Amino acid sequence: MKVAIVGAGITGCLLANFLDLKSIDVSIFEKSRGFGGRASTKQTDWGQCDLGATIVPAQQAGFMNFMGTLCAQDRVSQWPKNIFVSQQTTDIKQPLEIFVSDKEYYVFNSKMNAACRYWTKNAKVQSNNLISQIRYIVGKGWQLKSNGVWQEKLFDKVVLTAPWPQSQALIEQSELSMKLPDFSQSWTSCWSIALKLDQLVASGVDLVYLKEQSIRTLVRDSGKPLRPQTFDADTGRKSEIWVAQLTNKLSDDLGKEGKDKAISIATKGLCELFDVPIKSVLNTYGHYWRYARPREGQKPLGILNQQKYGLYAGGDWSFGATIESAHEAALSLSQAIIMGE
Ligand SMILES: Cc1cc2nc3c(=O)[nH]c(=O)nc-3n(C[C@H](O)[C@H](O)[C@H](O)COP(=O)(O)OP(=O)(O)OC[C@H]3O[C@@H](n4cnc5c(N)ncnc54)[C@H](O)[C@@H]3O)c2cc1C
């Protein structure tokens, strides 16, 4: 059986791994250069930083077991241990409070998209390949249009793991007569800002959720296990990298053009919270994410399974909006494909 997977985020790469374990021939098509999708890591000339998904909270027993197995293989580490909440506003200073949670927390070693390469090691990997159309040829199988050209190779099954709006468009253009579920999505954005500091700050703090600020999360990115050490190029002293994620509302207001403003807000917010001078910030890097998420009150859709045609779709949107839900989608998709063989 030949399977084509569209999208090499966590869902697509993990699915490739599950199918590979059943000796299924997998080709994976990714429009970007790198793998990982929204779990991506940026290498700048002054250090490495995870600018998308930053930690992996695990709630359900099955996912905790899965992450436990990856831990035993040194592919993930349990981190962070020291999570805090800040109720501080711009006017009123407040001490950090300990964040209480029944979840377990992990990060991938030694960057958030590292496992994607491992999971796809036996797949035929095609990066820089945007799939703009798919079509079903009766009695033959699926054909994909990649970078504007119909590929010669035909597949028995095709799995769309792109976000729902992109997957939905591909299904609609495929001209198969099928009724698609009404799955209401809205677009939002998030500015993710990496800041390199010339000194170690906030000892004993790994991550802070900010409740009353323009920043929603601050994470000591270079404090994650097995990250490369960073140094101040001028003094040779050990430095560190934090990543600030601005709130969706503020990011929407700033838009893609608001990079300078986003960097300045993140810099000011971090320096105020940790009482460090602005000049401690040596370097910054900003990434603007724009993504669809289920509308408020919209129940997760589950995976789409058109076994009759060998067409499947799923992603984090099938079960939520996190890496845990991407794992659940990959598992459900693999079961549907294997059972429908
Ligand atoms: C700023 C930010 C912070 C986050 N923080 C966390 C966190 O801390 N913890 C957590 O658990 N989750 C977090 N998330 C959510 C998490 O990143 C996602 O749930 C998860 O990565 C989704 O994986 P996926 O494979 O389903 O989708 P994606 O990562 O979106 O992967 C889909 C892939 O499909 C590719 N693609 C799309 N269309 C096409 C096409 N036509 N042809 C070829 N390829 C295509 C895309 O390039 C992409 O690589 C965060 C997300 C963002 C944006």
Side-chain angles (χ1 to χ4, degrees), residues 54 65-66 74 113 119 124 130 184 193 234 236 277 294-295:
T54 191
N65 285 343
F66 175 74
D74 273 344
N113 58 1
W119 288 329
K124 296 175 188 78
L130 172 79
S184 182
I193 312 291
D234 291 336
R295 259 184 219 288

Side-chain angles (χ1 to χ4, degrees), residues 7 9-11 30-31 37-38 52-55 131 162 245 316 321-323:
I10 297 283
T11 305
E30 167 56 47
K31 69 175 180 185
R38 279 170 283 152
T54 191
I55 54 168
I131 302 303
Q245 285 173 2
D316 66 336
T322 61
I323 290 182

Side-chain angles (χ1 to χ4, degrees), residues 5-13 29-32 34-40 51-57 63 112 126 129-133 161-163 166-167 170 190-192 209 216 245 289-291 314-317 320-326 329:
I5 299 175
V6 177
I10 297 283
T11 305
C13 294
F29 297 85
E30 167 56 47
K31 69 175 180 185
S32 308
F35 278 22
R38 279 170 283 152
S40 81
L51 288 172
T54 191
I55 54 168
V56 189
F63 186 55
M112 285 305 272
Q126 322 235 16
N129 269 265
L130 172 79
I131 302 303
S132 56
Q133 224 177 318
T161 71
Q166 285 103 306
S167 294
L170 285 173
C190 176
W191 268 107
S192 220
Y209 292 117
R216 66 176 189 199
Q245 285 173 2
W289 293 96
R290 183 140 176 82
Y291 53 97
D316 66 336
W317 47 267
T322 61
I323 290 182
E324 180 162 12
S325 37

Side-chain angles (χ1 to χ4, degrees), residues 4 29 46 82 95 104 119 164 167 208 210 212 218 226 243 270 278 289 334:
F29 297 85
W46 45 264
N82 306 304
E104 288 183 359
W119 288 329
W164 175 247
S167 294
V208 186
L210 295 93
E212 305 293 336
L218 258 176
L226 301 171
V243 172
L270 178 139
I278 298 261
W289 293 96
S334 68

Side-chain angles (χ1 to χ4, degrees), residues 1 19 63 80 195 228 232 246 261 289 303 332 337 339 341:
M1 174 167 57
L19 297 180
F63 186 55
L195 305 120
D232 178 343
L246 304 193
K261 195 96 196 283
W289 293 96
I303 61 161
S332 304
I337 292 164
M339 271 160 50
E341 203 177 342

Side-chain angles (χ1 to χ4, degrees), residues 164-185:
W164 175 247
Q166 285 103 306
S167 294
Q168 182 183 18
L170 285 173
I171 298 169
E172 281 168 356
Q173 284 164 13
S174 75
E175 290 170 12
L176 283 185
S177 54
M178 72 175 75
K179 187 164 162 27
L180 283 178
D182 184 17
F183 186 45
S184 182
Q185 300 267 295

Side-chain angles (χ1 to χ4, degrees), residues 1-5 19 24-27 155-157 159 337:
M1 174 167 57
K2 291 198 238 0
V3 176
I5 299 175
L19 297 180
I24 292 172
D25 179 332
V26 175
S27 298
F155 296 92
D156 303 301
K157 301 191 179 203
V159 193
I337 292 164

